[in-house]
C-alpha cells in the first residue's frame, strides 16, 4: 500500500489553489520583470552551451533510459548503496516520510551536542520542512547558498528550484542585506560582486566554527557508495569538508546504478540548469576518509510519497527529474506567475506533476491545470520527462466539479441535435447582452470565463449564411 | 516493521506491473576522437575566469603569481616548485590554512571541453580543506593529465577518493541568473600548464 507525503509537515501544499495565488503574483509588475529578465538570460545561456555538444540528444536518451532502469531496479540499487556507504564508514538511515526524516536528523544533531548546523541548499530538506523541525528543537539552521540566504534573511519563500531568490533583483537583495545582515557594510552597493562579497564575509566565521552540516545529494552511486553535490559558490565544499559530522538527506529516486553513469548526468545537469559547460564545483565523497573531511557521515534515504509516485505507471517518470529547473525557465505560465503561486517547494511544470503525486492529487488538484500544455518543458527536459502527458493524466484523476460534468453533458446533447444547437447559437448572440466576451456569464460558468475570453459570436452563423445563398 | 523494510515493500508493490528494463543507449561520445586540444583547454579555462600560465618553468611561474605572499602546499608537491617561506601541510590548523595567501596543488585530471580540473586528494593535491580556504588556488597541470571530455575523465578517476571538480573560481548565478565570480571558494584560480622545455 503506497502512502502519500503526510499533511501538516513540510512544504508540498499551498495555502490556496493555483489560480488564486497566481492572481496575486500577476498583479506584481516588479516580480514579472525580474522573472522575465532572469528566465530570458538563462534560456539564452543554456541554449548556447547545449548547441556546443553534437551528442546532446544521445545524452538525453541515455539519461532517460538510465532513470527508467533505476526505477525498475530500485530495491536492489538502494540496498547496494546502503551496503557500499556502510562499508566505507557511513551510517545509512531510512525515513518513510518527512516526520521520520526530521526526527532522525534532529536526533543526530542533538547527539553531537551542537546548537547550530550549516546547510547546503537541498530540495529534499526544504520539502520535509527540516529547518522548522530543527528550530523547534532549539537548533539553528544556517542556509549557506546565496539565494537561500537571501530568502532566509528576507523572511521569504523560495520560488525557483535552482535560484530560490529569482524573484528578487539586485537592488532588492541589497536592501535585504542592509536590513538583515549583521555587521554589513552600510555603503554596500547593488553591484553583484559586492553582494557576493558581503555573503562571503558574513558566512566565513560560521563555516569555520560550525561542527555539523546538513546537505542533500544530486547523485548517490549504488556501485561505489559515492555521493555527489553539484554547486557553484563553494558553500557546498565548505559544508562537506569543514564540519566533523555530515548528514545527507537524499530522495530514494536519486540513486544512479554505476560510477560510469555520472558521465551522462554531469554533462546534462550543468548545461540544462545554469547554462554552464560545468558548474564551478562538484564534490564527491564515499563514506568517511580518515584525515580528510567529516569523520562522521550519515545518509538519510527519504520516501515521503515517492513510492506513491512510483506506483503510477504514467506518472512515475516524474521521479526521473534531476532538479535542473530547465522546465521552469521555458514555461510561459511560470514566467508570469513565478514559483510561489504553485504553493510547493517544487514549482513550475515539474512541480505541477510532482507535487500532486507526492501529496495525492486531491491535495493539489489545481496544479495539473497550471499549464497551457504547450510542450516547451518536454523539449527542454534533459532526461526527456513527458510532462504534458503526465499533466493530462493527472487532470483525469483530479476531482471535477459536478457543474463541469453537467455543462459538458448539455453541450453534447445540443451538438447531437441540430435544432437545439441552432437555438443555442441564437442564444449566444443574445448572451452578448449579458456582458463582454463571457464576463457576464452566470455561475458556475463565470469561473471558467474568468481567465478566458469567449470568441465574439459571428453576426451571421454558417447555417444562416447557407440558407441565404 | 523497520522503515527500511516498509519502504522496500512499498517499492516492490509499486513496481508490481514489472516495468520494462531498458537497454542504456551509449551512442554518445565516450572515447577520445582526436589528440587533446590544449589551446581549447586554455580558452575554456579563461572563459570561466581562470588565469592560465603556459610555461616550462613551474617555480618561476608560481613565484610570479604569489609575489610577496605566503602559500601552503600538500606534502607531495615538490619543494622546488615553492617560494621560500611556504608551509607544507603536515597537519596545519584550519586557521593556519585560512590565513595563508594561497595554495599550490597538482591535479588528477583536466577536461578540455568543460574547462575543468579535478583534484583527488593524492599526496600532491592534499586534503580538501587545503585547496578550499585560501583565496588563491594555483594548480599545476601536466599535458598528460588532460582529456577531451567528461566520460574520459570519469573513466580515469578513482571513485573511492574524495573528488573535487573545479571549473573556474568560486561563482554564483543567484543574482538575476548571471554568473558572478567570487563567493566562498577561492576567488582566484591560476592554472600553470606545464610545457616541454624548448
Amino acid at each position: 500500500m503506497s502512502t502519500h507525503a503526510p499533511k501538516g509537515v513540510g512544504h508540498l501544499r499551498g495555502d490556496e489553489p493555483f489560480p488564486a495565488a497566481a492572481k496575486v503574483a500577476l498583479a506584481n509588475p516588479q516580480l514579472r520583470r525580474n522573472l522575465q529578465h532572469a528566465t530570458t538570460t538563462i534560456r539564452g545561456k543554456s541554449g548556447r552551451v547545449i548547441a556546443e555538444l553534437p551528442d546532446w540528444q544521445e545524452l538525453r536518451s541515455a539519461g532517460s533510459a538510465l532513470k527508467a532502469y533505476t526505477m525498475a531496479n530500485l530495491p536492489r540499487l538502494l540496498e547496494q548503496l546502503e551496503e557500499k556507504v556502510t562499508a566505507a564508514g557511513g551510517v545509512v538511515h531510512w525515513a518513510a516520510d518527512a516526520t521520520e526524516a526530521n526526527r532522525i536528523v534532529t536526533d543526530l544533531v542533538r547527539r553531537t551536542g551542537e546548537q547550530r548546523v550549516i546547510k547546503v541548499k537541498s530540495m529534499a530538506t526544504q520539502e520535509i520542512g527540516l529547518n522548522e523541525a530543527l528550530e523547534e528543537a532549539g537548533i539553528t539552521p544556517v542556509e549557506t547558498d546565496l539565494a537561500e540566504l537571501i530568502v532566509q534573511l528576507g523572511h521569504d519563500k523560495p520560488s525557483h528550484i535552482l535560484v530560490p531568490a529569482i524573484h528578487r533583483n539586485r537592488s532588492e537583495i541589497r536592501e535585504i542585506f542592509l536590513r538583515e545582515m549583521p555587521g554589513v557594510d552600510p555603503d554596500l552597493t547593488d553591484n553583484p560582486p559586492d553582494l557576493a562579497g558581503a555573503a562571503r564575509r558574513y558566512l566565513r566565521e560560521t563555516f569555520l566554527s560550525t561542527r555539523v552540516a546538513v546537505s542533500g545529494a544530486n547523485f548517490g552511486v549504488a556501485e561505489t557508495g559515492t555521493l555527489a553535490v553539484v554547486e557553484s559558490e563553494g558553500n557546498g565544499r565548505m559544508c562537506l569538508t569543514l564540519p566533523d559530522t555530515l548528514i545527507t538527506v537524499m530522495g530514494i529516486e536519486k540513486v544512479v546504478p554505476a560510477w560510469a553513469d555520472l558521465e551522462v548526468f554531469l554533462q546534462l545537469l550543468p548545461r540544462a540548469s545554469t547554462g554552464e559547460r560545468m558548474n564551478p564545483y562538484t564534490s564527491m565523497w564515499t563514506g568517511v576518509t580518515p584525515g580528510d573531511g567529516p569523520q562522521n557521515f550519515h545518509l538519510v534515504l527519504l520516501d515521503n510519497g515517492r513510492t506513491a509516485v512510483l506506483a503510477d505507471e504514467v506518472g512515475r517518470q516524474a521521479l526521473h527529474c534531476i532538479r535542473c529547473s530547465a522546465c521552469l525557465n521555458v514555461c510561459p505560465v511560470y514566467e508570469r506567475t513565478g514559483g510561489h503561486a504553485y504553493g510547493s517547494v517544487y514549482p513550475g511544470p515539474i512541480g505541477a506533476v510532482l507535487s500532486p503525486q507526492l501529496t495525492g492529487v486531491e491535495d493539489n488538484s489545481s496544479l495539473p491545470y497550471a499549464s497551457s500544455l504547450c510542450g516547451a518543458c518536454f523539449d527542454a527536459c534533459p532526461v526527456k520527462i513527458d510532462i504534458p502527458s503526465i499533466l493530462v493524466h493527472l487532470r483525469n484523476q483530479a476531482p471535477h466539479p459536478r457543474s463541469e460534468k453537467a455543462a459538458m453533458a448539455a453541450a453534447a446533447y445540443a451538438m447531437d441535435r441540430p435544432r437545439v444547437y441552432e437555438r443555442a447559437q441564437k442564444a449566444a448572440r443574445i448572451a452578448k447582452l449579458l456582458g463582454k466576451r463571457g464576463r457576464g456569464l452566470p455561475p458556475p460558468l463565470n469561473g471558467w470565463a474568468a481567465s478566458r475570453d469567449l470568441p465574439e459570436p459571428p453576426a451571421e452563423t454558417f447555417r444562416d449564411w447557407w440558407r441565404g445563398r | 516493521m523497520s522503515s527500511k523494510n516498509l519502504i522496500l515493500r512499498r517499492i516492490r508493490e509499486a513496481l508490481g506491473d514489472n516495468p520494462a528494463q531498458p537497454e542504456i543507449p551509449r551512442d554518445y561520445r565516450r572515447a577520445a576522437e582526436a589528440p587533446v586540444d590544449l589551446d581549447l583547454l586554455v580558452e575554456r579555462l579563461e572563459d570561466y575566469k581562470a588565469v592560465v600560465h603556459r610555461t616550462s618553468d613551474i617555480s618561476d611561474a608560481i613565484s610570479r603569481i604569489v609575489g610577496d605572499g605566503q602559500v601552503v602546499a600538500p606534502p607531495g608537491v615538490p619543494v622546488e616548485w615553492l617560494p621560500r617561506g611556504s608551509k607544507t601541510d603536515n597537519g596545519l590548523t584550519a586557521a593556519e590554512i585560512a590565513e595563508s595567501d594561497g595554495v599550490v596543488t597538482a591535479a588528477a585530471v583536466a577536461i578540455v571541453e568543460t574547462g575543468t580540473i579535478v583534484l583527488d586528494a593524492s599526496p600532491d593535491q592534499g586534503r580538501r580543506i587545503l585547496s578550499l580556504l585560501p583565496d588563491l588556488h594555483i594548480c599545476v597541470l601536466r599535458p598528460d593529465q588532460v582529456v577531451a571530455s567528461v566520460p574520459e575523465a570519469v573513466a580515469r578517476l578513482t571513485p573511492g577518493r574524495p573528488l573535487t571538480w573545479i571549473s573556474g573560481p568560486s561563482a554564483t548565478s543567484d543574482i538575476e541568473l548571471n554568473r558572478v565570480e567570487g563567493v566562498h571558494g577561492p576567488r582566484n584560480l591560476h592554472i600553470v600548464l606545464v610545457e616541454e622545455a624548448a
Side-chain angles (χ1 to χ4, degrees):
Chain A
M1 175 60 200
S2 62
T3 310
H4 293 115
K7 290 184 214 264
V9 55
H11 301 285
L12 287 169
R13 296 166 174 87
D15 301 329
E16 50 187 357
F18 181 82
K23 207 169 244 176
V24 180
L26 290 171
N28 182 345
Q30 183 66 56
L31 172 78
R32 292 178 64 174
R33 267 195 301 274
N34 294 352
L35 281 168
Q36 205 209 353
H37 172 70
T39 52
T40 307
T41 306
I42 192 72
R43 286 198 297 264
K45 279 171 68 183
S46 182
R48 281 190 294 276
V49 294
I50 285 172
E52 285 179 3
L53 288 189
D55 53 353
W56 181 252
Q57 296 307 332
E58 286 79 6
L59 287 166
R60 286 178 82 205
S61 299
S64 173
L66 274 169
K67 284 295 181 179
Y69 175 90
T70 302
M71 296 314 143
N73 294 280
L74 202 50
R76 172 173 66 78
L77 294 173
L78 287 172
E79 288 196 284
Q80 192 184 6
L81 177 68
E82 177 185 39
E83 183 196 318
K84 296 291 176 181
V85 169
T86 308
V91 182
V92 177
H93 310 258
W94 300 68
D97 59 27
T99 312
E100 188 177 13
N102 287 336
R103 185 174 49 72
I104 292 169
V105 177
T106 307
D107 285 351
L108 287 170
V109 178
R110 273 207 186 118
R111 248 188 279 162
T112 66
E114 296 295 312
Q115 303 287 307
R116 185 175 68 189
V117 301
I118 42 179
K119 283 191 71 207
V120 200
K121 178 175 149 36
S122 134
M123 294 307 299
T125 63
Q126 276 177 34
E127 171 192 325
I128 62 178
L130 178 64
N131 286 2
E132 289 85 344
L134 289 171
E135 279 163 6
E136 222 161 279
I139 299 158
T140 308
V142 182
E143 293 289 355
T144 62
D145 172 77
L146 179 56
E148 289 286 358
L149 183 69
I150 296 165
V151 167
Q152 203 176 33
L153 289 176
H155 311 288
D156 202 353
K157 280 183 176 171
S159 69
H160 189 274
I161 289 175
L162 173 74
V163 193
I166 194 172
H167 56 291
R168 298 292 194 184
N169 65 27
R170 59 184 76 186
S171 67
E172 292 169 293
I173 295 168
R174 172 178 171 266
E175 281 162 32
I176 292 169
F177 280 11
L178 286 176
R179 200 172 59 233
E180 303 282 345
M181 189 181 268
V184 73
D185 175 4
D187 295 330
L188 182 69
T189 71
D190 67 0
N191 187 23
D194 290 350
L195 295 171
R200 179 185 173 96
R201 281 187 296 281
Y202 172 64
L203 284 175
R204 208 11 101 118
E205 181 50 36
T206 307
F207 282 132
L208 288 167
S209 59
T210 308
R211 295 167 63 189
V212 183
V214 176
S215 85
N218 291 95
F219 310 105
V221 182
E223 180 190 29
T224 59
T226 307
L227 288 145
V229 164
V230 171
E231 53 130 357
S232 295
E233 298 163 17
N235 63 309
R237 291 176 70 188
M238 295 276 178
C239 293
L240 301 168
T241 308
L242 300 178
D244 304 330
T245 300
L246 171 62
I247 305 164
T248 299
V249 181
M250 179 181 116
I252 52 174
E253 81 282 19
K254 291 272 181 263
V255 65
V256 297
W259 168 251
D261 299 334
L262 290 179
E263 72 190 21
V264 175
F265 295 115
L266 288 177
Q267 294 192 76
L268 291 173
L269 181 54
R271 289 177 201 256
S273 166
T274 48
E276 294 166 305
R277 296 185 191 100
M278 192 61 88
N279 49 290
Y281 298 131
T282 296
S283 295
M284 299 179 187
W285 73 99
T286 307
V288 169
T289 306
D292 187 349
Q295 296 300 296
N296 304 294
F297 171 55
H298 296 270
L299 175 64
V300 182
L301 296 171
L302 176 72
D303 178 352
N304 202 38
R306 284 161 177 75
T307 46
V309 186
L310 191 64
D312 187 314
E313 289 175 41
V314 177
R316 64 166 61 124
Q317 53 172 321
L319 294 176
H320 297 187
C321 174
I322 56 174
R323 310 282 187 263
C324 74
S325 68
C327 62
L328 280 62
N329 301 333
V330 300
C331 178
V333 176
Y334 178 86
E335 183 174 314
R336 283 159 184 81
T337 65
H340 292 152
Y342 294 80
S344 157
V345 294
Y346 302 111
I350 188 63
V353 297
L354 194 54
S355 310
Q357 294 197 85
L358 289 170
T359 61
V361 177
E362 58 286 357
D363 279 9
N364 267 309
S365 60
S366 64
L367 287 185
Y369 292 90
S371 166
S372 65
L373 301 180
C374 76
C377 48
F378 187 13
D379 288 341
C381 178
V383 292
K384 299 207 271 192
I385 301 171
D386 183 355
I387 295 175
S389 291
I390 312 177
L391 285 166
V392 172
H393 172 70
L394 293 176
R395 286 180 187 188
N396 287 326
Q397 294 179 4
H400 290 244
R402 217 183 301 162
S403 52
E404 178 189 310
K405 214 177 254 175
M408 288 298 168
Y413 179 88
M415 285 174 178
D416 271 351
R417 293 164 180 77
R419 287 260 169 80
V420 179
Y421 187 65
E422 201 169 340
R423 261 179 276 144
Q425 284 185 311
K426 285 212 177 96
R429 263 174 292 167
I430 296 161
K432 256 177 87 174
L433 302 171
L434 286 171
K436 272 203 150 327
R437 316 211 75 176
R439 290 290 186 271
L441 284 169
L445 297 173
N446 58 350
W448 188 85
S451 58
R452 295 172 178 86
D453 288 334
L454 285 182
E456 289 286 349
E460 186 182 37
T461 66
F462 175 77
R463 283 153 194 273
D464 288 342
W465 172 80
W466 184 256
R467 246 182 249 128
R469 281 182 81 232
Chain B
M1 189 188 302
S2 73
S3 291
K4 175 182 174 179
N5 287 336
L6 175 65
I7 292 170
L8 290 174
R9 199 189 68 188
R10 285 174 179 172
I11 296 171
R12 291 197 177 95
E13 281 173 13
L15 296 172
D17 61 313
N18 288 316
Q21 299 271 351
E23 283 290 311
I24 315 298
R26 305 269 183 188
D27 44 5
Y28 53 87
R29 294 167 305 147
R30 297 193 83 183
E33 288 163 347
V36 288
D37 182 348
L38 292 180
D39 294 336
L40 183 59
L41 172 68
V42 173
E43 192 186 309
R44 293 282 154 92
L45 284 165
E46 288 175 343
D47 194 26
Y48 283 159
K49 307 290 187 279
V51 182
V52 183
H53 310 260
R54 299 180 80 161
T55 177
S56 56
D57 190 341
I58 300 172
S59 64
D60 174 65
I62 292 175
S63 71
R64 266 196 267 172
I65 300 164
V66 174
D68 297 333
Q70 182 260 320
V71 296
V72 291
V77 162
V79 191
E80 57 271 21
W81 288 3
L82 301 171
R84 226 171 306 186
S86 303
K87 281 187 192 166
T88 299
D89 176 31
N90 291 311
L92 295 173
T93 65
E96 286 172 307
I97 297 168
E99 272 165 20
S100 62
D101 298 306
V103 54
V104 177
T105 72
V109 179
I111 307 167
V112 169
E113 206 163 83
T114 57
T116 303
I117 53 168
V118 187
L119 308 191
D120 73 354
S122 292
D124 59 359
Q125 295 152 55
R127 45 191 186 131
R128 285 171 287 172
I129 186 175
L130 199 65
S131 48
L132 176 59
L133 294 181
D135 207 10
L136 164 69
H137 180 190
I138 302 168
C139 181
V140 180
L141 191 63
R142 295 194 319 267
D144 63 294
Q145 294 170 318
V146 181
V147 298
S149 68
V150 173
E152 292 163 68
V154 169
R156 276 207 194 186
L157 292 164
T158 312
R161 312 189 67 92
L163 300 174
T164 307
W165 297 50
I166 299 171
S167 309
S170 159
T172 180
S173 299
D174 282 354
I175 303 167
E176 299 173 8
L177 273 171
N178 274 310
R179 182 163 167 141
V180 176
E181 279 73 26
V183 201
H184 303 294
R187 288 182 286 191
N188 304 287
L189 176 65
H190 286 247
I191 309 291
V192 176
L193 182 55
V194 182
E195 302 201 307
E196 296 302 315

